[in-house]
Amino acid sequence: MPPQGATAKVTLEVIKTACSNCNLQELCLPYGLNQMELAKLDELVSTRKRLKRGEHLYRSGQPFDSIYAIRSGFFKTDVLIEDGRDQVTGFQMTGELLGLDGISSEIHTCNAVALEDSEVCTIPFALLEDLSREIHTLQKHFHKVMSREIVRDHGVMMLLGTMRAEERLAAFLLNLSQRFTARGYSPAEFNLRMTRDEIGSYLGLKLETVSRAFSRFQEEGLIAVQQKHIRILNTPGLKKLMTH
Amino acid sequence: MPPQGATAKVTLEVIKTACSNCNLQELCLPYGLNQMELAKLDELVSTRKRLKRGEHLYRSGQPFDSIYAIRSGFFKTDVLIEDGRDQVTGFQMTGELLGLDGISSEIHTCNAVALEDSEVCTIPFALLEDLSREIHTLQKHFHKVMSREIVRDHGVMMLLGTMRAEERLAAFLLNLSQRFTARGYSPAEFNLRMTRDEIGSYLGLKLETVSRAFSRFQEEGLIAVQQKHIRILNTPGLKKLMTH
DNA sequence: AATTCGCGTTGACGTGGATCAAACGCAGTC
DNA sequence: GACTGCGTTTGATCCACGTCAACGCGAATT
C-alpha cells in the first residue's frame, strides 16, 4: 500500500474514533443521545486500546474499573475453575460490551481474549455511573444493555440444558448470522474466528462432536464448510432443526 | 389462633414492611443507604403483593414496569419455547430480586412462579431509575445486583456445560445451603421447595437422574433425603465430588 | 377406610455424545 | 520443497444419562 494511502487511513480513523462520530452508535452505548450528550460521552471514552490476536483484554481476578466497547474485532470470554475445567461464556463482536461481570465484586470474574486483532474503547465505570446520573437516556440504555446480557445468558442456559448437539450448533450458526447481518455483513457467509474446541466449550460439547455436526450439516446441504469459512445454504432448514 | 394474637401479628408486619425497617437490608436493594435515603426508598416501594403457592408473579410476554424484591417465600423462573421445551432458569429466595430480565425489552421474558406462599415488594422500575440518579449508593448497588445476576448465570452455564449429573446436584445443594445460611437458617438441614422435575430442568437433567443421584448421595452417607427434606451430612464430601 | 393423584423411586434397556486413536491439511519455518 | 505443528476430520468403542415402565408413598378427597 502506498504511504499516502496509509496516512489517509490513519487520519480518517482518528476522526472517526469519537463516539459522536462512531458508526456503531445504534449498537453501542451512545444510542439515542443528543449532540451535547454525545460530546460528554466522548470525553468519558477517551482511551482506546489495540489488541493483537491472542492477547488478553483482562484476566479473571484482576481489579475491575472499566468496561470496554468493541470498536472492531472479535473476542471470547471464558471462566476457569480450579480443577482445570473451563468454559467459554460468550463470543463478542463489534459494538458489544465487555466486562459487565466485573461490576458486582469489582474484580473481573472471567478472561477476555481477542480472537483477532481488535480495538476497544475503554469506559471507566465510575465515570459512566456519574454520567448516567446526569443523562437519563444513557442510564436507561445502560440498564437495557445489562438486562439484555441476562436474557442472552438465559438463552444459553436453555441451549445447554435442553438442546441436542446439532440443535445447539444450528442455534449458534443462526445467532452468528443474525449478528453479522445487524452489522451489515453477509448473513450467509462468514469466517469463524474461533476453533472447533472453543465452539464446543461454548456449546457444552467436545470438539469432535462439533466437527461431526458440521460435516453432517454439509452432507445434508444445509451449509458449506471449509475450515473456518462458513456458507449457510438453507437457513429455514437450520431453523427447523432447532425447533425439532 | 386467638383474634388478639392475629391482630398483634398484623400490626407488627405493617410496621416491619418499610424498607427502613426491613431485616433484609443487607441482602436487598437498601444496602448502605442512610436514613434519609431509606425514607425515599420507602416511598418508592409502597406496594406489596402476596402470592399463594403456584401463582404467577408475572408471565413471559407481559409488559414490564416493575421489578420485585422477595420479602418472604420462594420462587422459580422459567422460559418456555414454542416447541414445548422449557427450562427453569433460577430459584429465588427471600431478599433476592425478580424481573431484571424484563428491563431490556420492557417485556417479561420468563415466568415467575411462587413455589410457596410468598410476599414481594413491587418496585416500579422508572421510579427506581429516577431515585438511583439521585442516590449514588443506590445506583451503585443496583448495578452490582444486575452484574451479580450475570455472574450467577455464568456459573450455571459452567455447570450445564462441563459438569456431570452428580457434580451438578452437589453444586446445587451447596449453593442452596449457602444461601439458607446467609439468611440465618441451618446450612445443613432444609426443605426443598421444588420438585425433582424442576431441579432436573434447572440442572439440565431428567427427574429420574436427579432422583438416582439423591439416592446415591444417601448411600454414600453424604446426605439424608426424605422426600423434600434434606440433611447435609458431609459438606466436604459434596465439595470434593464437585471438584472431581 | 377407600380412592385418587401428584411425586418420587427403582429397574431394564437404548442411545447420543464422550473418549481414544489415527490420519489429514494447511500455514509457517528452515 | 521438505519439515513441523496445530487444528480438524473421521472411525471404533464406551458409558453416562435418557427413556420407558412398574411400583410406592403420602396428602388430599370422598
Side-chain angles (χ1 to χ4, degrees), chain A residues 24 27 56 76 100 106 116 126 162 181 208 224 228 239:
Chain A
L24 303 172
L27 289 171
H56 278 71
K76 72 167 178 184
L100 299 178
E106 291 171 29
E116 61 181 30
T162 74
T181 310
E208 294 95 331
K228 307 230 182 224
K239 280 190 182 141

Side-chain angles (χ1 to χ4, degrees), chain B residues 3-241:
Chain B
Q4 61 272 37
T7 310
K9 188 173 163 234
V10 167
T11 314
L12 187 61
E13 286 217 359
V14 169
I15 293 169
K16 280 176 64 185
T17 46
C19 286
S20 48
N21 224 332
C22 180
N23 55 2
L24 302 172
Q25 279 193 39
E26 67 286 354
L27 290 171
C28 185
L29 274 183
Y31 180 80
L33 302 193
N34 64 33
Q35 278 312 112
M36 207 187 65
E37 293 165 345
L38 273 174
K40 286 187 183 174
L41 191 61
D42 277 343
E43 235 174 295
L44 169 60
V45 188
S46 52
T47 326
R48 265 162 299 276
K49 194 171 175 180
R50 288 179 176 283
L51 291 103
K52 288 230 161 288
R53 184 189 141 90
E55 274 189 275
H56 278 70
L57 176 58
Y58 55 79
R59 285 168 197 274
S60 180
Q62 288 177 346
F64 161 89
D65 53 18
S66 300
I67 60 174
Y68 304 91
I70 306 177
R71 277 194 61 78
S72 67
F74 206 94
F75 287 81
K76 71 165 178 185
T77 49
D78 58 15
V79 287
L80 183 68
I81 49 176
E82 319 80 61
D83 60 355
R85 271 188 288 215
D86 70 336
Q87 168 120 2
V88 172
T89 52
F91 297 108
Q92 297 79 18
M93 51 204 280
T94 308
E96 296 174 339
L97 293 185
L98 278 166
L100 299 177
D101 58 278
I103 297 169
S104 66
S105 58
E106 291 171 30
I107 287 176
H108 287 291
T109 61
C110 63
N111 306 300
V113 188
L115 294 183
E116 62 182 28
D117 295 0
S118 302
E119 188 177 12
V120 299
C121 301
T122 305
I123 305 171
F125 187 64
L127 296 184
L128 177 63
E129 285 191 327
D130 289 345
L131 195 57
S132 79
R133 264 178 283 121
E134 266 182 57
I135 307 176
H136 191 157
T137 322
L138 179 62
Q139 180 199 34
K140 216 173 167 60
H141 189 62
F142 177 62
H143 289 163
K144 289 197 176 193
V145 168
M146 291 213 86
S147 170
R148 198 192 309 147
E149 183 71 14
I150 292 171
V151 175
R152 192 192 69 82
D153 289 347
H154 287 176
V156 178
M157 287 166 55
M158 187 85 198
L159 180 146
L160 292 171
T162 74
M163 292 188 178
R164 302 203 286 97
E166 296 192 0
E167 297 173 332
R168 295 184 199 189
L169 191 62
F172 174 71
L173 290 175
L174 291 170
N175 174 270
L176 275 188
S177 160
Q178 179 231 307
R179 283 154 78 198
F180 280 125
T181 310
R183 280 151 188 84
Y185 300 111
S186 165
E189 193 162 4
F190 47 83
N191 282 301
L192 298 173
R193 269 69 171 188
M194 69 295 280
T195 65
R196 301 288 189 265
D197 195 30
E198 286 163 336
I199 297 173
S201 172
Y202 180 61
L203 299 179
L205 302 169
K206 292 289 148 184
L207 67 92
E208 293 94 332
T209 306
V210 174
S211 179
R212 276 187 247 271
F214 270 130
S215 301
R216 198 131 208 285
F217 285 177
Q218 178 147 261
E219 277 169 35
E220 287 165 5
L222 295 169
I223 62 172
V225 207
Q226 200 167 25
Q227 305 284 112
K228 307 227 185 228
H229 188 83
I230 303 283
R231 260 186 320 132
I232 298 182
L233 303 174
N234 182 355
T235 308
L238 283 177
K239 280 190 182 140
K240 213 168 78 192
L241 222 166

Side-chain angles (χ1 to χ4, degrees), chain A residues 207-219:
Chain A
L207 68 94
E208 294 95 331
T209 306
V210 173
S211 178
R212 275 186 248 272
F214 270 130
S215 303
R216 199 131 209 284
F217 285 177
Q218 178 148 261
E219 277 168 34

